[in-house]
């Protein structure tokens, strides 16, 4: 065989495998169907601003090994996510913190008062879905103003049909601290994310605009496959189509210096079609005369669109389990958000890729 490993996809999982396996003396090739490397983490410099082409990516982890590993390739700034939630023309602070509660209920200024207020409207019992879980965590009013509309737009289904776990991503704090993440290491790479992938893939054969699935029979003879794409596509939807959610990005260049004063503004009302507007310059405190913004609008996922978010309910997880069993039987190695069908953040993908290359799944 020409290679030890044929790696399908150049996002974090694929690029890390390529880098770490090459370091261990393996012959690797990376197949990437897009025109560029980096998967959805890819950034592009436009008018002096690093644009997060496939949605905002802010790095956060408490895993020191992951943090040290990524810092070999890039220097991070001290950006912290402090999102604005826009509801009926009013700006509130996200994640939910004392700043949000005290604006929503001006008579509430202490943590105890906020907890009392939430308790008086909370859903009680064992939550079976996102709606019940959210109303248990933050009460009916916060749910209706900031969660219901956004969530139902984003996932294109009723919050009653969504798994409770999704909403646990959103922190609730009873402090005047509006930092989104609790992690000890946070930031955005100075100069954007793409340089990380350039370094990871330096000296490695990368075939852009090469769709493995179009020429699968050939590539399968070239080495052991590490696949990071959507798993249902890999098996030609044999056990059914897995549900993914996707969004469309409308990037716009504006001749204004500062459009919205925040990297991310969420629009939480159901009647506004987009979920958020991203203003990229704020991730790196760029001092440019103009700005780049992106409207993110959830759209129906069809096979010709990019899958982005897995919908980890019981039905989809059961379908996934069958695909996974089949991949294992065929000795196809899987990794990353799409192939593992997990709502991973970047640091989790890195952790999983580092574990994988050091596991006995990789032949020494
Ligand atoms: N969410 C919400 N209102 C918001 C932001 C998020 O209800 O203003 C909910 C929504 O259900 C979303 C989930 O929290 O799917 C996770 O949000 P996160 O920002 O982590 O999503 P991502 O950044 O991965 O798109």
């Amino acid at each position: 065989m020409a290679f030890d490993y044929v790696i399908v996809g150049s996002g974090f999982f694929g690029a890390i495998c390529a880098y770490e396996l090459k370091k261990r003396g393996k012959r690797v090739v990376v197949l990437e169907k897009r025109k560029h490397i980096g998967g959805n983490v890819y950034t592009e410099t436009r008018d002096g601003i690093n644009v997060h082409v496939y949605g905002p990516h802010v790095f956060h982890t408490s895993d020191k090994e992951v943090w040290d590993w990524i810092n070999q390739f890039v220097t991070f700034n001290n950006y912290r996510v402090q999102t604005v939630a826009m509801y009926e023309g009013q700006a509130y602070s996200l994640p939910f913190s004392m700043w949000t509660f005290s604006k929503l209920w001006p008579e509430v200024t202490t943590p105890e008062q906020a907890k009392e207020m939430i308790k008086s409207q909370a859903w009680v019992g064992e939550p079976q879905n996102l709606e019940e879980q959210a109303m248990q965590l933050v009460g009916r009013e916060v749910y209706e103003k900031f969660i219901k509309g956004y969530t139902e737009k984003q996932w294109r289904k009723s919050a009653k049909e969504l798994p409770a776990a999704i909403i646990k991503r959103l922190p609730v704090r009873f402090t005047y601290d509006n930092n989104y993440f609790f992690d000890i290491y946070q930031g955005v790479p100075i100069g954007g994310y793409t340089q990380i992938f350039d370094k990871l893939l330096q000296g490695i054969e990368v075939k852009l605009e090469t769709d493995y699935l179009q020429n699968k029979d050939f590539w399968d003879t070239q080495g052991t496959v590490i696949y990071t794409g959507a798993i249902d596509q890999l098996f030609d939807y044999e056990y059914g189509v897995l549900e993914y959610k996707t969004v469309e990005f409308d990037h716009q260049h504006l001749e204004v210096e500062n459009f919205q004063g925040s990297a991310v503004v969420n629009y939480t009302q159901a009647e506004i079609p987009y979920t958020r507007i991203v203003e990229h310059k704020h991730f790196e405190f760029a001092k440019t005369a103009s700005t780049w913004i992106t409207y993110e609008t959830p759209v129906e996922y069809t096979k010709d669109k990019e899958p982005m978010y897995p919908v980890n309910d019981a039905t989809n997880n059961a379908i996934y389990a069958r695909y996974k069993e089949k991949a294992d039987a065929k000795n196809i190695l899987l990794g990353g958000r799409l192939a593992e069908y997990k709502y991973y953040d970047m640091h989790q993908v890195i952790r999983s890729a580092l574990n994988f290359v050091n596991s006995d799944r990789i032949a020494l």
Side-chain angles (χ1 to χ4, degrees):
M1 287 202 268
F3 302 98
D4 295 307
Y5 292 98
V6 173
I7 299 172
V8 182
S10 66
F12 262 125
F13 198 93
I16 292 171
C17 287
Y19 175 84
E20 292 289 337
L21 293 173
K22 178 176 176 251
K23 220 165 74 178
R24 290 159 174 71
K26 304 293 182 194
R27 294 163 306 155
V28 299
V29 62
V30 176
L31 312 180
E32 169 55 62
K33 69 177 173 186
R34 289 182 180 161
K35 290 189 172 108
H36 61 76
I37 56 175
N40 287 350
V41 186
Y42 173 71
T43 54
E44 207 168 86
T45 310
R46 301 184 187 173
D47 302 290
I49 297 163
N50 294 312
V51 174
H52 296 210
V53 177
Y54 304 94
H57 284 76
V58 176
F59 198 83
H60 59 98
T61 186
S62 294
D63 185 333
K64 186 166 188 312
E65 215 177 291
V66 165
W67 181 245
D68 289 343
W69 184 87
I70 194 156
N71 273 275
Q72 297 175 85
F73 308 103
V74 81
T75 304
F76 282 85
N77 66 18
N78 64 347
Y79 178 80
R80 301 282 177 272
V81 182
Q82 294 163 352
T83 299
V84 172
M86 207 61 90
Y87 179 78
E88 291 189 345
Q90 291 278 306
Y92 297 85
S93 181
L94 258 190
F96 304 124
S97 75
M98 288 306 297
W99 290 114
T100 330
F101 305 136
S102 62
K103 170 135 188 189
L104 190 60
W105 306 305
E107 69 281 16
V108 167
T109 57
T110 67
E112 201 178 323
Q113 290 167 334
K115 284 183 186 167
E116 271 306 307
M117 181 62 106
I118 288 171
K119 203 171 146 198
S120 72
Q121 356 168 323
W123 192 89
V124 186
E126 183 59 41
Q128 299 301 321
N129 56 51
L130 195 152
E131 176 168 296
E132 292 170 2
Q133 177 71 71
M135 285 208 283
Q136 182 160 93
L137 288 171
V138 286
R140 174 174 295 276
E141 196 175 345
V142 172
Y143 168 70
E144 283 174 354
K145 291 188 168 154
F146 303 116
I147 298 178
K148 187 175 177 0
Y150 186 99
T151 298
E152 295 187 345
K153 278 194 286 192
Q154 168 82 357
W155 297 92
R156 298 174 68 87
K157 40 166 94 177
S158 158
K160 292 191 186 74
E161 292 165 38
L162 286 164
I166 294 175
I167 205 63
K168 292 198 183 144
R169 288 172 61 85
L170 244 177
V172 182
R173 297 164 180 269
F174 291 93
T175 54
Y176 285 94
D177 175 359
N178 60 358
N179 178 6
Y180 210 97
F181 300 115
F182 291 96
D183 286 312
I184 55 179
Y185 308 111
Q186 304 183 32
V188 167
I190 298 169
Y193 283 92
T194 303
Q195 58 185 319
I196 301 173
F197 296 89
D198 286 336
K199 289 181 188 166
L200 288 173
L201 296 171
Q202 208 173 10
I204 289 174
E205 192 173 341
V206 179
K207 294 187 177 296
L208 294 178
E209 295 183 84
T210 302
D211 186 350
Y212 159 76
L213 296 177
Q214 296 288 318
N215 214 351
K216 190 172 173 309
D217 290 344
F218 168 74
W219 288 113
D220 287 347
T221 64
Q222 299 299 295
T224 301
V225 174
I226 299 177
Y227 181 80
T228 72
I231 195 170
D232 53 353
Q233 280 174 25
L234 174 66
F235 294 121
D236 211 12
Y237 307 99
E238 184 182 342
Y239 303 135
V241 178
L242 275 172
E243 203 176 348
Y244 292 93
K245 292 295 152 190
T246 196
V247 294
E248 259 172 27
F249 302 101
D250 176 13
H251 303 296
Q252 297 188 11
H253 183 223
L254 305 180
E255 292 298 338
V256 296
E257 201 231 326
N258 184 2
F259 174 73
Q260 62 182 16
S262 169
V264 184
V265 177
N266 288 359
Y267 286 79
T268 61
Q269 283 161 262
E271 54 278 20
I272 295 175
Y274 45 87
T275 46
R276 56 191 177 190
I277 302 178
V278 175
E279 187 171 17
H280 303 270
K281 69 190 305 176
H282 298 300
F283 288 121
E284 293 187 57
F285 320 105
K287 304 262 182 296
T288 52
S290 65
T291 196
W292 274 93
I293 63 164
T294 303
Y295 288 82
E296 251 179 58
T297 307
V299 290
E300 192 185 341
Y301 172 68
T302 47
K303 286 178 193 168
D304 58 318
K305 298 221 165 64
E306 293 289 344
M308 290 187 183
Y309 298 86
V311 185
N312 288 110
D313 60 16
T315 312
N316 287 304
N317 288 346
I319 297 175
Y320 176 76
R322 294 190 67 192
Y323 282 126
K324 168 86 171 85
E325 205 177 301
K326 180 154 180 157
D328 287 347
K330 287 174 161 281
N331 196 30
I332 300 168
L333 302 168
L334 303 171
R337 196 192 255 215
L338 297 178
E340 289 183 60
Y341 203 62
K342 279 195 187 139
Y343 196 169
Y344 274 144
D345 288 334
M346 291 181 284
H347 64 290
Q348 295 164 320
V349 178
I350 296 173
R351 166 46 64 205
S352 137
L354 293 177
N355 288 348
F356 172 76
V357 293
N358 290 315
S359 73
D360 57 11
R361 306 215 61 194
I362 292 295
L364 290 175

